[in-house]
Amino acid sequence: MYDPRLNSVHLCRPRRKQYGAARAEMLDAMGSTTHEVERRVLGCRNAPLDVPVPYSLRSVRTGRLYPLRVGINTIGRAPTNDIVLGHHAISRRHCVVLVHATGGCEVHDTASRNGTFVNRQKVSRIALHAGDLLQLCDDVFVVLGGGANDGTIVLGDGGGEEPGDLRDTGADWHFE
């Protein structure tokens, strides 16, 4: 299945090879259950869905909530990413947060130029837990999930939003 969020045509040959290896490792880590859930959710764009989203990222700088769905959640500068960050130091396809259908969440750096950091440690792949800090250049996010979320986050239900859009249904979050 072709996924435009994972293409590497923009990369020069050496980085394309690195990206391909990182992408292959991430897809291998995905597992068949997570792949099937993602396929079903992405395949139902026209139907109202009520799919709980177990994890989200909260920007430390802006406070914005980024719900993460089960499966692949791409982050980077390219407009096809699930989370688009505009800073020039962010790679077009910087990293992927993989949320497993069977529980758990992990981040995979996808051969980014400036690295992916979790709790100030540079990583290529690592499990994420509630309260972890995910840093991509100057953008820092707090991982919320695994019981840390007080609000329900669901996949768009057609209530004025595009089908398949993610929305926060009303949790109040406070960061000091």
Side-chain angles (χ1 to χ4, degrees):
M1 176 171 92
Y2 173 73
D3 189 335
R5 299 172 300 166
L6 300 176
N7 83 40
S8 60
V9 297
H10 65 284
L11 296 171
C12 61
R13 184 165 238 122
R15 278 202 57 224
R16 187 178 297 173
K17 187 174 180 178
Q18 291 172 333
Y19 180 85
R23 178 179 53 207
E25 180 182 357
M26 184 272 306
L27 290 171
D28 190 45
M30 188 175 193
S32 60
T33 304
T34 301
H35 178 74
E36 182 61 21
V37 169
E38 181 179 65
R39 186 187 67 75
R40 286 183 183 179
V41 168
L42 293 178
C44 296
R45 288 272 185 209
N46 297 326
L49 296 173
D50 187 18
V51 179
V53 179
Y55 290 91
S56 58
L57 299 177
R58 172 69 73 178
S59 170
V60 170
R61 185 172 40 87
T62 67
R64 181 172 177 185
L65 181 70
Y66 296 93
L68 302 173
R69 68 174 178 276
V70 170
I72 297 169
N73 298 270
T74 58
I75 304 174
R77 216 176 61 240
T80 54
N81 285 301
D82 298 306
I83 299 174
V84 178
L85 303 175
H87 194 273
H88 66 87
I90 299 286
S91 295
R92 288 180 217 174
R93 309 232 182 272
H94 201 97
C95 68
V96 170
V97 177
L98 179 58
V99 178
H100 296 283
T102 56
C105 177
E106 58 189 77
V107 66
H108 293 256
D109 182 86
T110 49
S112 67
R113 289 238 187 240
N114 293 312
T116 299
F117 295 79
V118 174
N119 299 327
R120 297 185 179 173
Q121 299 292 315
K122 189 172 184 176
V123 299
S124 60
R125 173 185 179 185
I126 193 168
L128 294 173
H129 305 282
D132 282 348
L133 295 177
L134 173 64
Q135 182 174 356
L136 314 173
C137 300
D138 291 337
D139 290 300
V140 180
F141 303 89
V142 176
V143 176
L144 303 173
N149 291 347
D150 294 326
T152 303
I153 302 167
V154 297
L155 209 53
D157 61 356
E161 298 179 40
E162 291 295 317
D165 281 354
L166 297 174
R167 64 183 169 87
D168 179 357
T169 61
D172 291 322
W173 303 96
H174 304 282
F175 289 93
E176 300 176 337

